[in-house]
């Protein structure tokens, strides 16, 4: 919806973008807890002094939290409000059939829309990456990661009107940058989440072994985040190298 703003009515931005963001936010707790539970076997291999069984209490705590989060999610998805949302969305889509009423949107071809979307998304990534320095906060890198996702969406959605070779090579460079930023952000989020889980578990009188094991996991994530931060400069340089800029110019898309 965000990419389609130039070709869509204002109601999509004012009503439906917030509606689907709220729906996405609703799914986040269960999704995140699923990730932690699925990652625990891998995390157990990070332990040096602690035993993998020391993470059993963490697994139990995560499953308990997931049960509560899933219950809330299911209640919302079975609610009358969600059914109204789906019904209204179907009606909104049906209303888009036919020629646009707005003259500006009527003149916007798929090629021009593609060129505009990709150019804007690319400039945001370039500006954001150039601004990253040694003192940049994790929030700055997270914002850049979001800009990269928007560019990736634009390249994927606009694929039918783009030359395939340059598009795939740009995506390959972008994927390298996304991977580094993803590693950085995942480590940041998981570090703070583990600290929060530890505090919750401490109030319940959990074992010292579990606390020590979680401390080791946090230490491992600290190292991984620092490694990702060091890798960022090289990844962004590849994305911005002259050959990539020439590929970007070849994407065009405007008729």
């Amino acid at each position: 919806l965000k990419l389609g703003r130039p070709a869509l009515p204002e109601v999509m931005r004012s009503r439906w973008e917030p509606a689907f963001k709220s729906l996405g936010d609703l799914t986040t707790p269960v999704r995140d807890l699923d990730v932690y539970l699925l990652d625990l076997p891998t995390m157990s291999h990070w332990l040096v002094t602690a035993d993998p069984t020391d993470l059993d209490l963490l697994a139990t705590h995560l499953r308990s939290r997931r049960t509560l989060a899933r219950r809330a999610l299911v209640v919302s998805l079975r609610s009358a409000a969600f059914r109204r949302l789906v019904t209204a969305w179907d009606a909104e889509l049906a209303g888009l059939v036919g020629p646009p009423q707005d003259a500006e949107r009527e003149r916007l071809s798929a090629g021009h829309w593609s060129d505009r979307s990709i150019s804007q998304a690319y400039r945001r990534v370039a500006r954001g990456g150039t601004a990253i320095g040694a003192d940049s906060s994790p929030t700055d890198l997270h914002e850049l990661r979001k800009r990269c996702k928007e560019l990736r969406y634009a390249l994927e959605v606009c694929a039918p009107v783009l030359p395939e070779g340059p598009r795939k090579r740009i995506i390959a460079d972008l994927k390298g940058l996304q991977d580094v930023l993803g590693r950085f952000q995942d480590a940041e989020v998981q570090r703070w989440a583990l600290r929060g889980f530890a505090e919750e578990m401490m109030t319940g009188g959990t074992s010292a072994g579990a606390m020590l094991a979680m401390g080791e996991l946090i230490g491992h994530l600290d190292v991984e985040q620092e490694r990702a931060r060091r890798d960022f400069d090289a990844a962004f340089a590849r994305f911005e190298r002259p050959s990539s800029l020439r590929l970007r110019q070849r994407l065009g898309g405007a008729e």
Side-chain angles (χ1 to χ4, degrees), residues 18-66:
F20 282 110
K21 182 183 184 303
S22 296
L23 184 59
D25 291 343
L26 183 66
T27 68
T28 296
V30 174
R31 180 197 64 202
D32 288 351
L33 289 163
D34 280 342
V35 170
Y36 294 129
L37 284 165
L38 290 169
D39 282 353
L40 270 183
T42 298
M43 289 181 173
S44 68
H45 295 298
W46 300 349
L47 300 176
V48 178
T49 59
D51 189 271
T53 58
D54 290 327
L55 294 177
D56 289 348
L57 290 174
L58 173 59
T60 299
H61 181 73
L62 292 174
R63 284 192 291 267
S64 176
R65 286 197 53 174
R66 185 190 182 280

Side-chain angles (χ1 to χ4, degrees), residues 28 59-60 117 120 147 155 161 163 192 218 226 238 251 254:
T28 296
T60 299
S117 299
Q120 289 177 348
R147 301 291 83 78
L155 290 166
V161 294
W192 287 106
I218 293 170
E226 291 175 4
R238 285 193 299 272
L251 289 182

Side-chain angles (χ1 to χ4, degrees), residues 192-203:
W192 287 106
L194 285 171
R195 286 187 171 93
F197 297 149
E199 291 175 0
E200 293 169 356
M201 293 167 65
M202 285 175 65
T203 62

Side-chain angles (χ1 to χ4, degrees), residues 3-254:
L3 279 175
R5 282 176 181 173
L8 293 171
E10 171 59 27
V11 68
M12 291 296 180
R13 181 172 189 172
S14 61
R15 178 181 181 186
W16 290 105
E17 285 185 30
F20 282 110
K21 182 183 184 303
S22 296
L23 184 59
D25 291 343
L26 183 66
T27 68
T28 296
V30 174
R31 180 197 64 202
D32 288 351
L33 289 163
D34 280 342
V35 170
Y36 294 129
L37 284 165
L38 290 169
D39 282 353
L40 270 183
T42 298
M43 289 181 173
S44 68
H45 295 298
W46 300 349
L47 300 176
V48 178
T49 59
D51 189 271
T53 58
D54 290 327
L55 294 177
D56 289 348
L57 290 174
L58 173 59
T60 299
H61 181 73
L62 292 174
R63 284 192 291 267
S64 176
R65 286 197 53 174
R66 185 190 182 280
T67 297
L68 295 175
R70 184 182 183 279
R71 186 177 302 154
L73 174 62
V74 170
V75 167
S76 294
L77 294 179
R78 291 177 177 171
S79 68
F82 179 73
R83 290 194 297 272
R84 287 195 298 270
L85 176 73
V86 174
T87 300
W89 176 240
D90 286 342
E92 194 73 64
L93 291 179
L96 291 178
V97 177
Q101 299 302 312
D102 185 282
E104 182 180 352
R105 290 191 293 117
E106 189 173 2
R107 292 194 301 268
L108 189 63
S109 69
H112 282 92
W113 171 70
S114 167
D115 187 46
R116 180 189 300 182
S117 299
I118 293 172
S119 296
Q120 289 177 348
Y122 193 97
R123 286 195 296 270
R124 285 193 288 265
V125 172
R127 286 197 301 266
T130 301
I132 296 296
D135 297 329
S136 295
S137 69
T139 300
D140 294 332
L141 279 88
H142 179 51
E143 288 299 315
L144 177 59
R145 185 191 185 194
K146 292 195 291 186
R147 301 291 83 78
C148 288
K149 288 174 68 175
E150 291 172 358
L151 175 57
R152 180 73 172 270
Y153 292 152
L155 290 166
E156 298 288 0
V157 170
C158 300
V161 294
L162 297 176
E164 184 174 7
R167 183 183 70 86
K168 286 186 174 181
R169 289 194 289 274
I170 286 288
I171 287 178
D173 288 340
L174 178 60
K175 184 177 183 299
L177 180 57
Q178 285 183 288
D179 287 346
V180 169
L181 292 169
R183 284 165 45 209
F184 181 93
Q185 181 64 17
D186 288 348
E188 174 73 8
V189 171
Q190 290 176 1
R191 284 190 314 130
W192 287 106
L194 285 171
R195 286 187 171 93
F197 297 149
E199 291 175 0
E200 293 169 356
M201 293 167 65
M202 285 175 65
T203 62
T206 194
S207 69
M211 292 295 102
L212 291 172
M214 293 173 70
E216 281 200 58
L217 297 184
I218 293 170
H220 178 93
L221 290 167
D222 285 340
V223 173
E224 175 57 27
Q225 187 177 38
E226 291 175 4
R227 184 180 296 116
R229 179 62 187 86
R230 290 195 299 270
D231 292 343
F232 168 78
D233 293 336
F236 184 70
R238 285 193 299 272
F239 176 77
E240 281 283 270
R241 66 183 186 270
S243 60
S244 293
L245 293 175
R246 287 193 295 271
L247 286 172
R248 161 65 193 94
Q249 293 167 357
R250 288 180 57 194
L251 289 182

